[in-house]
């Protein structure tokens, strides 16, 4: 082999070996770096950086005024509460003190509602006050509460109905005359989150029938129960004459049943079957059977008595069914409300328990047909929230309790009226006082400053025709500053409107020509 050929072969072999070494070294370096990263991530934790401090807000965080979902409210002065001075406040004060007993006995966290546990403060004040006249009772409410007009969002007024405790004839045993059973709560009725023998079950939400240990199905509706699905299980408390009597006792949530032997049993709401309440009166109105302006409980009773088959079908439209429990009350005591205390006729109301707290005073004002069906009796009375009902929904919705018996039933049965609601809020939650401490935006500049530095907006014509925009024509100069006479002999210079900056021109980037890549073909040996 010639010397030149040997030199070329040596150089070629050396170059090949050098490239292989470089590739191997690079692979080793990358592998080593990957191994170090893996080791650090699995065996050596980096020190945790301290958390960034919370960002400071420009205004202090203050407690907001309380809020009730779906409600609008307006703080009032006592002088603006129509009819406030005409009420018998001592009766309302005694009813409020009755609600204070369970409020003062409450332990644990307060209810997550607007008023929360704030009623405990007025209750502590009322505990040591034995008031004996209306004037002092009125002063007590004015010193411990603030009036607040409340209604559903977008509506000016609230809505009231009435309820009472029916007094019915019945029997302890089934006979040919008394054959409508009044059931207590069945043992297979189940509500999630509650024990089956729990003293208090919710009056909203799903209710199940437990089959075996695990299987849950919806509970029987009214039609299935009336057809005997739970008959013969020893659940009968008493027997009534008419299924309409049972229906209205279930709507009212309580009843007194008098027996032939002179005895009496008092019944109270205990549970329901999980189906929403359907108002039978609304169905009769929709079907054109009873006009809306004539609707009353007495009208419904009369129609059901005249059409027994239609009454049976109408009852079953309301799939909700109420189960009762016996309560140890004498004939002199009123029915027990959901707060657990006897109600006061003419002073107790049922409210939406999901929004309000038991014991809250509400002043209700308007006109109601108290004296007769067509009467417009002025009604301005301070009522206390002590009960609830599945049909009572909304921030300004109340069921007025009128007592027991036929007369109370006639009065309450014709109430379906819009009324003004004034909610009494404890002073500790006064939204006027709390709202006054909230931060407000910076004040607007004075008229004099605003004239010196006017804010200009692009003219509408300029947007359509750019040629009319002086900011885009460099040949047009701005007009000199004008002078405005301010007051007597005072002249204030007014600056010319500050033109808005012209939009930044869109400049396309200049692309540089790509440099050609030289290809080096392999040289042949």
């Amino acid at each position: 082999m010639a010397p030149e050929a040997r030199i070329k072969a040596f150089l070629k072999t050396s170059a090949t070996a050098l490239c292989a070494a470089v590739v191997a070294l690079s692979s080793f370096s990358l592998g080593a770096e990957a191994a170090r990263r893996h080791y650090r991530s699995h065996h050596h934790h980096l020190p945790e950086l301290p958390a960034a401090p919370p960002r400071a807000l420009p205004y202090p965080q203050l407690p907001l005024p309380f809020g009730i979902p779906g409600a609008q409210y307006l703080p009032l002065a006592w002088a603006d509460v129509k009819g406030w001075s005409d009420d018998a406040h001592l009766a309302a004060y005694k009813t409020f003190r009755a609600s204070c007993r369970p409020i003062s006995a409450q332990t644990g966290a307060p209810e997550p509602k607007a008023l929360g546990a704030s009623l405990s403060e007025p209750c502590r004040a009322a505990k040591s006050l034995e008031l004996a006249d209306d004037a002092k009772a009125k002063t007590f409410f004015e010193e411990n509460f603030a009036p607040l007009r409340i209604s559903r969002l977008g509506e000016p007024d609230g809505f009231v109905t009435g309820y009472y405790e029916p007094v019915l004839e019945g029997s302890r045993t089934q006979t040919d005359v008394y054959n409508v059973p009044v059931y207590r709560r069945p043992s297979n009725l189940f509500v999630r989150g509650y024990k089956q023998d729990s003293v208090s079950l919710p009056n909203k939400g799903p209710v199940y029938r437990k089959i075996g240990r695990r299987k849950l199905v919806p509970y029987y509706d009214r039609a299935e129960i009336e057809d005997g699905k739970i008959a013969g299980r020893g659940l009968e408390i008493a027997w009534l004459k008419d299924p309409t009597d049972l229906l209205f006792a279930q709507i009212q949530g309580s009843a007194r049943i008098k027996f032939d032997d002179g005895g009496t049993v008092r019944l109270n709401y205990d549970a329901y079957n999980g189906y929403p309440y359907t108002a039978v009166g609304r169905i009769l109105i929709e079907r054109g059977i009873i006009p809306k302006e004539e609707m009353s409980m007495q009208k419904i009773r009369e129609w059901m008595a005249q059409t027994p088959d239609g009454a049976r079908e109408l009852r079953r439209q309301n799939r909700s069914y109420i189960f009762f429990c016996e309560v140890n009350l004498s004939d002199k005591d009123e029915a027990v409300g959901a707060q657990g205390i006897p109600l006061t006729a003419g002073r107790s109301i049922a409210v939406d328990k999901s929004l309000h707290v038991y014991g809250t005073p509400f002043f209700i004002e308007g006109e109601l047909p108290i004296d007769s069906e067509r009467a417009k009796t002025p009604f301005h009375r301070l009522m206390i929230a002590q009960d609830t009902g599945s049909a009572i929904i909304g921030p300004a919705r109340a069921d007025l309790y009128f007592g027991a018996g036929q007369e109370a039933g006639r009065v309450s049965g014709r109430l379906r009226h819009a009324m003004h609601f004034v909610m009494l809020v404890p002073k500790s939650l006064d939204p006027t006082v709390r709202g006054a401490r909230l931060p407000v935006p910076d004040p607007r500049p004075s008229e004099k400053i605003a004239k010196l530095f006017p804010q200009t907006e692009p003219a509408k014509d300029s947007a359509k025709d750019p040629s009319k925009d002086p900011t885009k024509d460099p040949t047009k100069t701005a007009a000199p500053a004008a002078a405005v006479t301010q007051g007597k002999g005072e002249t204030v210079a007014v600056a010319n409107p500050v033109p808005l900056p012209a939009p930044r021109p869109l400049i396309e980037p200049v692309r540089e020509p790509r440099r050609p890549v030289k290809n080096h073909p392999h040289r042949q040996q």
Side-chain angles (χ1 to χ4, degrees):
M1 181 182 295
E4 295 180 358
R6 284 199 299 270
I7 293 174
K8 290 181 179 180
F10 174 77
L11 292 176
K12 181 177 181 181
T13 304
S14 300
T16 304
L18 182 60
C19 291
V22 170
V23 171
L25 184 60
S26 301
S27 302
F28 177 79
S29 300
L30 293 175
E33 179 63 21
R36 284 195 297 269
R37 290 179 181 175
H38 177 77
Y39 180 81
R40 284 198 301 267
S41 63
H42 285 75
H43 300 279
H44 293 276
H45 298 285
L46 296 176
E48 296 183 359
L49 297 176
R55 185 178 179 182
L57 298 177
Y59 298 106
Q61 293 183 350
L62 298 176
L64 296 174
F66 74 95
I68 299 177
Q72 61 186 18
Y73 44 85
L74 175 67
L76 300 175
W78 288 111
D80 298 329
V81 181
K82 185 178 179 181
W84 170 252
S85 300
D86 301 331
D87 190 19
H89 295 83
L90 183 60
Y93 175 77
K94 293 179 179 179
T95 308
F96 175 73
R97 286 194 72 187
S99 281
C100 283
R101 291 196 297 270
I103 290 175
S104 301
Q106 288 178 353
T107 58
E111 296 182 86
K113 296 171 188 171
L115 293 191
S118 62
L119 288 173
S120 59
E121 298 179 17
C123 284
R124 280 195 294 268
K127 186 177 181 179
S128 58
L129 293 177
E130 293 292 342
L131 304 183
D133 57 71
D134 290 330
K136 293 182 179 179
K138 175 173 173 287
T139 302
F140 167 82
F141 287 112
E142 292 177 352
E143 290 180 349
N144 290 275
F145 295 90
L148 192 74
R149 171 72 59 82
I150 185 171
S151 63
R152 188 189 292 270
L153 193 62
E155 299 178 4
D157 303 319
F159 187 76
V160 301
T161 50
Y163 73 116
Y164 72 110
E165 185 182 19
V167 180
L168 308 173
E169 294 181 358
S171 172
R172 297 184 187 273
T173 58
Q174 184 178 13
T175 65
D176 294 338
V177 177
Y178 300 100
N179 57 5
V180 178
V182 180
Y183 289 121
R184 61 173 51 90
R185 187 203 306 180
S187 60
N188 64 344
L189 187 144
F190 180 79
V191 179
R192 293 185 187 274
Y194 293 83
K195 296 181 179 180
Q196 288 178 271
D197 58 349
S198 178
V199 176
S200 177
L201 291 180
N203 61 353
K204 295 179 182 179
V207 176
Y208 302 97
R209 177 166 50 94
K210 201 168 187 179
I211 302 176
R213 292 184 177 181
R214 297 179 180 274
K215 189 174 182 180
L216 296 177
V217 296
Y219 207 81
Y220 302 119
D221 66 359
R222 176 177 294 275
E224 293 174 310
I225 295 175
E226 287 188 356
D227 290 340
K229 283 291 186 180
I230 61 175
R233 300 183 184 180
L235 302 173
E236 296 83 3
I237 300 175
W239 300 81
L240 302 177
K241 291 181 180 179
D242 191 349
T244 302
D245 290 339
L246 176 62
L247 173 66
F248 280 99
Q250 292 175 328
I251 293 175
Q252 305 307 314
S254 62
R256 304 184 189 190
I257 300 179
K258 291 188 175 182
F259 303 124
D260 292 339
D261 58 3
T264 302
V265 62
R266 300 290 298 276
L267 304 179
N268 228 43
Y269 171 94
D270 190 32
Y272 88 128
N273 63 341
Y275 293 91
Y277 169 76
T278 301
V280 294
R282 187 174 68 245
I283 297 175
L284 294 176
I285 293 174
E286 293 173 352
R287 294 178 179 178
I289 298 175
I290 300 178
K292 183 177 180 180
E293 59 274 9
E294 298 180 8
M295 175 56 64
S296 67
M297 196 178 301
Q298 188 62 32
K299 291 288 185 180
I300 298 174
R301 279 186 170 276
E302 293 174 358
W303 183 85
M304 285 186 163
Q306 296 170 2
T307 55
D309 294 337
R312 181 175 182 271
E313 186 271 336
L314 181 64
R315 287 196 312 271
R316 293 172 177 235
Q317 293 295 318
N318 176 28
R319 303 179 69 187
S320 178
Y321 195 92
I322 303 299
F323 302 102
F324 292 97
C325 62
E326 298 183 48
V327 290
N328 187 21
L329 292 174
S330 67
D331 288 343
K332 297 181 180 179
D333 296 323
E334 294 289 348
V336 175
Q339 194 182 12
I341 60 175
L343 303 174
T344 302
R347 292 293 173 178
S348 298
I349 59 173
V351 296
D352 190 343
K353 184 62 172 62
S354 65
L355 301 177
H356 298 300
V357 177
Y358 291 142
T360 304
F362 287 86
F363 188 78
I364 300 177
E365 185 271 325
E367 294 180 342
L368 293 176
I370 302 294
D371 298 334
S372 65
E373 292 186 5
R374 302 294 182 181
K376 294 184 178 181
T377 307
F379 189 92
H380 31 72
R381 194 172 298 181
L382 185 58
M383 316 285 281
I384 310 299
Q386 296 178 332
D387 204 358
T388 189
S390 57
I392 311 302
I393 301 174
R397 174 73 173 90
D399 217 4
L400 315 183
Y401 179 70
F402 282 91
Q406 294 183 354
E407 182 59 28
R410 279 192 290 268
V411 173
S412 61
R414 53 181 179 243
L415 299 190
R416 292 181 58 85
H417 292 74
M419 302 285 280
H420 298 305
F421 276 64
V422 177
M423 180 180 181
L424 269 60
V425 181
K427 285 291 184 68
S428 60
L429 293 181
D430 186 354
T432 305
V433 177
R434 300 184 75 181
R437 298 199 303 266
L438 294 178
V440 296
D442 295 331
R444 296 182 64 181
S446 64
E447 184 178 357
K448 181 176 179 180
I449 299 299
K451 287 182 178 180
L452 290 174
F453 301 96
Q455 301 297 317
T456 61
E457 295 181 359
K460 296 182 180 180
D461 295 339
S462 300
K464 297 178 182 179
D465 188 1
S467 63
K468 297 181 180 180
D469 190 352
T471 61
K472 297 183 179 180
D473 190 351
T475 61
K476 296 183 180 180
T477 58
V484 177
T485 302
Q486 183 82 7
K488 296 183 179 180
E490 182 182 357
T491 303
V492 179
V494 179
N496 291 321
V498 180
L500 296 176
R504 184 176 181 180
L506 181 62
I507 302 176
E508 294 290 339
V510 179
R511 296 184 179 181
E512 297 182 358
R514 297 182 62 182
R515 302 175 66 179
V517 179
K518 295 181 180 181
N519 296 326
H520 299 280
H522 295 287
R523 296 180 181 179
Q524 296 183 357
Q525 305 263 331

